[in-house]
Amino acid sequence: MRHPILAIDLGGVLLHDPTRGNFWRNIARGDEQLAAAARHRWLAELRTPFETGHLSENEVWGALSLITRLKPEDIRSQFLGGFTEINLGISALRSFSSTGGRTVLATNHYAPWLDIWNRKFAWFRKIDYIACSSEMGYRKPDERYFVELLEIVNAPVESVIFVDDDLTNIESAQSLNIESLYADGSDAWVRSLGLANEDTSHG
């Protein structure tokens, strides 16, 4: 196997990210102005410190609650409920694991949520390593993220292939000579790995 380790993104590759869908409109109960304000606050002030471990979950939901006037616990429920499976990515993860390759979850996320998804999705237990931004203190596309990812898997750069749906992250990984594949919504990246595209709806 040319690349015995697959480093794979979570949001946009394995699970749909609710912040890219109707989440903002839903928590604003259809008010487009409030939805835009909440989304702006998330992107401009909340996302990076939260995903690097410098803001608590309660602080994030509280800030969004002040804008949308929805209870923090309701915002949290809608947010976590919005992460739904992407069958193509899950199938590829399973197929790669079945070949004997190791997998690392390369994610900009809040580490405690990973326990939730581990209990909810059986395929999550196919993951061998976790590289989670909130535990590392920096997030993709920071090059330090990828340096630590290589330390986590304790493997040379040429043994790792990285898959992500964000071109900025792809470019950062490539700058460190990590071979990378862009998950553009098609099955091209799966075919590039030499895996069969076997769509699955299993959890």
Side-chain angles (χ1 to χ4, degrees), residues 36-66:
R39 183 176 183 275
H40 175 77
R41 183 77 188 279
W42 165 255
L43 293 174
E45 300 177 29
L46 301 174
R47 181 176 65 175
T48 294
F50 179 52
E51 292 181 350
T52 53
H54 297 106
L55 270 185
S56 71
E57 208 182 340
N58 288 340
E59 288 174 307
V60 171
W61 309 138
L64 295 177
S65 177
L66 288 175

Side-chain angles (χ1 to χ4, degrees), residues 7-13 20 106-108 140 146 162-170 180-184 189:
I8 189 166
D9 182 31
L10 181 68
V13 180
R20 304 176 195 174
T107 182
N108 289 338
K140 300 173 290 182
F146 295 101
F162 171 62
V163 175
D164 201 289
D165 68 326
D166 188 320
L167 283 173
T168 305
N169 297 338
I170 292 290
S180 304
L181 297 173
Y182 176 47
D184 62 356
W189 67 272

Side-chain angles (χ1 to χ4, degrees), residues 115-135:
D115 291 332
I116 295 173
W117 293 319
N118 185 55
R119 293 190 298 269
K120 184 175 181 180
F121 304 120
W123 54 264
F124 212 88
R125 294 184 283 280
K126 298 289 185 183
I127 297 165
D128 299 297
Y129 307 98
I130 301 288
C132 183
S133 63
S134 72
E135 294 182 321

